[in-house]
Amino acid sequence: MTHVLDDLEARGLVAHSTDRDALRAELSAGSITYYVGFDPTAPSLHIGNLLQILTARRLQLAGHRPLLLVGGSTGLIGDPKEAGERVMNTKETVGEWVQRIASQVSRFVEFDGDNGATVVNNLDWTSGLSTIDFLRDIGKHFPVNRMLARDVVSSRLESGISYTEFSYVLLQSMDFLELNRRHGCVLQTGGSDQWGNITAGVELIRRADGKKAHALATPLITKADGTKFGKTESGTVWLDPELTSPYAFYQSWIQAEDAKVVEYLRQFTFLELDEIAQIEAEHTEKPALRIAQRRLAAEMTTIVHGEAETAAAELASLALFGRAELADLPEATLAAALSEAGAADLSAADDPTIVDALVATGLADSRSAARRSVGEGGAYLNNERVTDPDLVLSADRLLYSTWAVIRKGKRSVSGVRIA
């Protein structure tokens, strides 16, 4: 059986680690307890967080015990960003987000068995901690010169950084110390942008209790141009279906670049590496078929939203272009698909025509161009060719009495919502 550390390395999931040989020995000696943390700085986690959740899942599948920390206290402070000071959210807002994110992360791990997961909240050990005790027991272990040398801090010294954000590293380090004491946690994982915070926790455990702990960081996931992966033209790709529909989530993976798609298959999916190599060979031979992207999208949508939503997203991708029946789409999936395609709103009281729809959706830049598309046989309503430019989009011609899929030619598709 492949050692879990070898599998992580083969998948490109190890950017940094403390003593690699010692970590390997610890993982080989038996089940260990490890943790990964998430700050509630938004009402949902996103694709970047997903990599950390799935890495935790890989370690659990290898027999180790995960602690999933949701930062009820660190979320009130905010990890410093190079761009500037964070806006602090209210305690009530953070408390609500803690509950939402705790529910999200719980879907990806198992809670039963000898290595069942535990969700923890760092507010439990910080809410009653006095300032004096915090400074005496934690602060004394942090040399200020080393804190000032941290990249994110040094980059903010000129523009300004509050004492609050400057002290964030102490709070996160204390989490590792507390989890080590309470649960025997000996490993923290996270993104490479958290490496300074993670290793500070390792050092705190050594200084405070004289114990050895480990750290492992995954690389930041980027597009081919080096920009952060997980953002589309419509914004951040969230895990919450209310913020990013399953269809839009599916499409975000379909749009993965050829140069990066196999890398994402290794890092995000649970497919065996041999199978990924086979997909890569097929993709290289016929890239236009987007075999790798379609498999990636299907795997990830199933992991996050389930098989039914994946099937609906796949059906929508076909149906919008006339390769499946639009009537078979659930209304929520149809609405999400047309919203992604750029749906326009028209009023039923105006008796809108196919020409109005072509112009409103931007598929034609003028009414005369729209009429020309109809006359040349290039305009479609719900995948049926339209020959009459004055055809009214009446309720009986609409899907769910509201929606119309408008297509020009084979590839240009949009939609209208008529109310």
Side-chain angles (χ1 to χ4, degrees):
M1 180 180 292
T2 304
H3 192 284
V4 64
L5 192 56
D6 291 333
D7 184 61
L8 294 176
E9 289 175 333
R11 291 178 180 274
L13 287 171
V14 181
H16 311 291
S17 75
T18 47
D19 189 331
R20 193 77 57 97
D21 292 337
L23 176 58
R24 178 181 294 278
E26 189 99 44
L27 291 166
S28 301
S31 180
I32 70 164
T33 298
Y34 61 98
Y35 99 93
V36 60
F38 305 95
D39 276 347
T41 55
S44 171
L45 300 178
H46 50 73
I47 283 182
N49 303 126
L50 180 59
L51 187 72
Q52 304 311 319
I53 302 172
L54 298 182
T55 300
R57 175 64 177 159
R58 293 183 200 281
L59 286 163
Q60 186 180 38
L61 289 172
H64 306 291
R65 176 176 174 246
L67 303 175
L68 304 178
L69 183 145
V70 183
S73 63
T74 44
L76 291 168
I77 301 301
D79 193 10
K81 301 186 300 182
E82 289 188 7
E85 201 79 6
R86 289 181 182 271
V87 175
M88 287 192 185
N89 297 299
T90 66
K91 291 183 178 180
E92 293 73 21
T93 296
V94 172
E96 178 187 342
W97 290 352
V98 164
Q99 296 302 316
R100 291 174 64 124
I101 290 171
S103 176
Q104 278 188 338
V105 299
S106 297
R107 301 202 312 265
F108 298 93
V109 293
E110 296 294 333
F111 286 84
D112 298 326
D114 293 338
N115 67 327
T118 302
V119 176
V120 295
N121 183 346
N122 55 21
L123 193 61
D124 292 344
W125 53 81
T126 56
S127 60
L129 184 65
S130 74
T131 304
I132 295 298
D133 288 338
F134 177 68
L135 292 175
R136 282 175 57 86
D137 297 340
I138 304 299
K140 68 180 180 180
H141 296 297
F142 286 81
V144 171
N145 61 323
R146 291 181 60 180
M147 294 175 67
L148 289 171
R150 298 178 66 222
D151 290 343
V152 69
V153 172
S154 61
S155 68
R156 289 272 302 279
L157 288 179
E158 190 170 326
S159 61
I161 183 171
S162 69
Y163 181 75
T164 300
E165 288 196 1
F166 178 68
S167 303
Y168 178 92
V169 65
L170 277 71
L171 285 174
Q172 184 168 323
S173 299
M174 185 171 66
D175 290 343
F176 201 174
L177 178 63
E178 283 294 324
L179 294 176
N180 180 268
R181 289 172 173 174
R182 294 171 180 232
H183 299 278
C185 178
V186 295
L187 169 65
Q188 182 182 358
T189 66
S192 59
D193 58 337
Q194 289 290 308
W195 185 241
N197 290 333
I198 296 172
T199 53
V202 171
E203 180 67 9
L204 177 60
I205 290 171
R206 186 190 68 78
R207 286 171 175 261
D209 290 354
K211 295 181 180 179
K212 185 176 181 61
H214 305 278
L216 184 148
T218 61
L220 293 181
I221 307 302
T222 62
K223 299 178 183 178
D225 63 3
T227 58
K228 187 177 292 187
F229 177 70
K231 290 186 179 291
T232 64
E233 291 182 4
S234 56
T236 299
V237 181
W238 303 101
L239 304 190
D240 187 331
E242 295 180 5
L243 299 179
T244 298
S245 70
Y247 176 81
F249 185 86
Y250 177 89
Q251 288 297 318
S252 72
W253 297 98
I254 282 286
Q255 294 161 14
E257 302 157 296
D258 287 337
K260 302 289 284 187
V261 64
V262 175
E263 182 179 317
Y264 300 155
L265 279 167
R266 294 192 193 101
Q267 293 170 325
F268 283 94
T269 77
F270 289 86
L271 297 175
E272 295 293 337
L273 293 173
D274 288 346
E275 185 175 359
I276 293 173
Q278 183 178 345
I279 294 170
E280 180 178 18
E282 294 173 0
H283 175 75
T284 301
E285 184 178 347
K286 297 179 180 179
L289 296 181
R290 300 183 74 75
I291 294 169
Q293 282 90 345
R294 287 190 285 109
R295 186 60 182 276
L296 175 66
E299 291 290 327
M300 298 316 302
T301 307
T302 299
I303 287 172
V304 175
H305 296 296
E307 291 181 358
E309 291 293 358
T310 300
E314 290 175 331
L315 181 62
S317 297
L318 296 172
L320 289 188
F321 294 94
R323 297 192 294 274
E325 291 296 326
L326 287 165
D328 292 339
L329 290 179
E331 183 175 7
T333 303
L334 175 66
L338 292 182
S339 296
E340 282 295 300
D345 289 309
L346 294 174
S347 172
D350 296 332
D351 293 329
T353 66
I354 186 65
V355 167
D356 295 324
L358 286 165
V359 174
T361 57
L363 294 177
D365 55 16
S366 67
R367 296 184 66 81
S368 60
R371 284 183 168 274
R372 188 161 55 250
S373 291
V374 175
E376 293 172 349
Y380 296 80
L381 168 64
N382 297 335
N383 292 331
E384 297 289 337
R385 181 179 278 113
V386 178
T387 57
D388 179 7
D390 297 318
L391 178 74
V392 175
L393 306 188
S394 52
D396 61 312
R397 290 191 171 95
L398 302 178
L399 300 164
Y400 298 101
S401 302
T402 302
W403 298 94
V405 177
I406 309 298
R407 181 158 52 90
K408 187 178 77 170
K410 292 183 177 181
R411 298 183 180 278
S412 299
V413 65
S414 190
V416 293
R417 179 174 44 237
I418 298 177

